[in-house]
Amino acid sequence: LMGLMNTMNTKKLSKAYWDKRHQLGDTPWDIGEAAPAIIEYFSNRPLNGKSLLIPGAGLAHEARVLASRYKDAAITILDISPTLIEYLKDSFANHKNIKLVCGDFFDHEMTYDYIIEQTFFCALGPDLRLAYFKKMHDLLNPGGVLAGLWFHWVFDKIGPPFGGDVEEYVSQAKTFFNEYSIDYHPKSILPRKDREVFLQFAK
C-alpha cells in the first residue's frame, strides 16, 4: 500500500481539486468542532502577543476558539481553495485578529511563533513530506513550534487522506528539527482514537 501511495500522481491534488471538493461540500475531514487535543495544548501556552498559522485550515474551528480566547494573538488561516476563503470571510468577519490568505502553502513567506497541524499533512502526497517539514521550518521564527495531530495509521485505500507511521514522520522532520516530542495517546475524537498522535517540533 505504501508503495502505491508513493507512486500516486499528486498533480491531481491541485488548487482546482481542493476547490471543487469545497464547492461540493465533500469535506469528510471536518469534525465540526475544534480538535480537543489542540485546544488543550494551547490552554497551557497563552497565545497573546504571538503569531499563529493554520495551513490547509478548512473551516478552521481551532482558529475561532483560539481567536476568541486570545484577543491579542495574530492568527493566519491559509488555504488553497478560493471557495473556502470566500466563505470564511463572512464566518470570521467579527474576528479582527484573524487574517485569511488564499494561497499555496509552499509559496507562503511569512514567519510565525506557532503553526498548527490538523489534517493538512495527510492531504499532501507522501512525495511532498520532506518538503513539508522544510517549509514548516522556514515558516517558523527562531524558537517557534509546529504542533498538532498526525495520523498514525495506514489507510486501506489510496488517499487523500494519506496515512503512515509516526517514526517515519519523525525521521523526516529530524532533517530540519532538533527537538521534538510525541504523545501517542492524545485527546482524540472517538473516530480517530488510537489512529493519531500529537507531535511537537521546535525550531
Side-chain angles (χ1 to χ4, degrees), residues 15-193:
K15 175 179 177 179
Y17 171 83
W18 292 112
D19 199 51
K20 186 67 172 180
R21 292 196 63 166
H22 282 288
Q23 289 172 12
L24 296 173
D26 182 16
T27 57
W29 57 82
D30 180 51
I31 65 175
E33 62 179 343
I38 291 175
I39 301 306
E40 182 179 77
Y41 175 83
F42 284 106
S43 68
N44 298 316
R45 295 165 180 80
L47 284 172
N48 283 322
K50 301 293 185 180
S51 56
L52 171 72
L53 172 68
I54 309 178
L59 292 177
H61 303 293
E62 291 79 15
R64 186 182 310 279
V65 173
L66 294 173
S68 297
R69 185 174 295 179
Y70 303 109
K71 303 292 187 181
D72 294 329
I75 299 175
T76 299
I77 294 172
L78 171 66
D79 203 282
I80 202 169
S81 166
T83 296
L84 174 68
I85 294 297
E86 282 301 312
Y87 172 80
L88 292 180
K89 283 181 180 178
D90 290 332
S91 180
F92 288 108
N94 294 325
H95 291 275
K96 303 306 181 184
N97 56 339
I98 291 180
K99 178 181 180 181
L100 300 173
V101 177
C102 185
D104 189 315
F105 164 76
F106 292 102
D107 294 331
H108 195 60
E109 294 186 349
M110 296 293 291
T111 58
Y112 302 88
D113 298 312
Y114 288 96
I115 304 178
I116 289 178
E117 170 54 48
Q118 165 69 332
T119 67
F120 175 57
F121 180 84
C122 68
L124 300 172
D127 56 319
L128 294 174
R129 288 178 173 174
L130 198 63
Y132 163 98
F133 283 115
K134 181 183 185 303
K135 185 64 178 179
M136 286 293 189
H137 188 270
D138 291 345
L139 289 173
L140 286 169
N141 293 323
V145 175
L146 164 64
L149 295 161
W150 276 257
F151 279 115
H152 185 39
W153 190 263
V154 177
F155 297 98
D156 59 3
K157 61 180 180 179
I158 296 175
F162 299 97
D165 182 87
V166 64
E167 281 75 22
E168 173 197 352
Y169 308 157
V170 170
S171 176
Q172 293 168 330
K174 284 168 63 177
T175 304
F176 309 100
F177 293 92
N178 294 324
E179 299 180 30
Y180 68 93
S181 64
I182 307 172
D183 179 358
Y184 285 93
H185 303 286
K187 186 181 288 186
S188 299
I189 61 169
L190 190 58
R192 296 179 185 171
K193 184 174 174 57

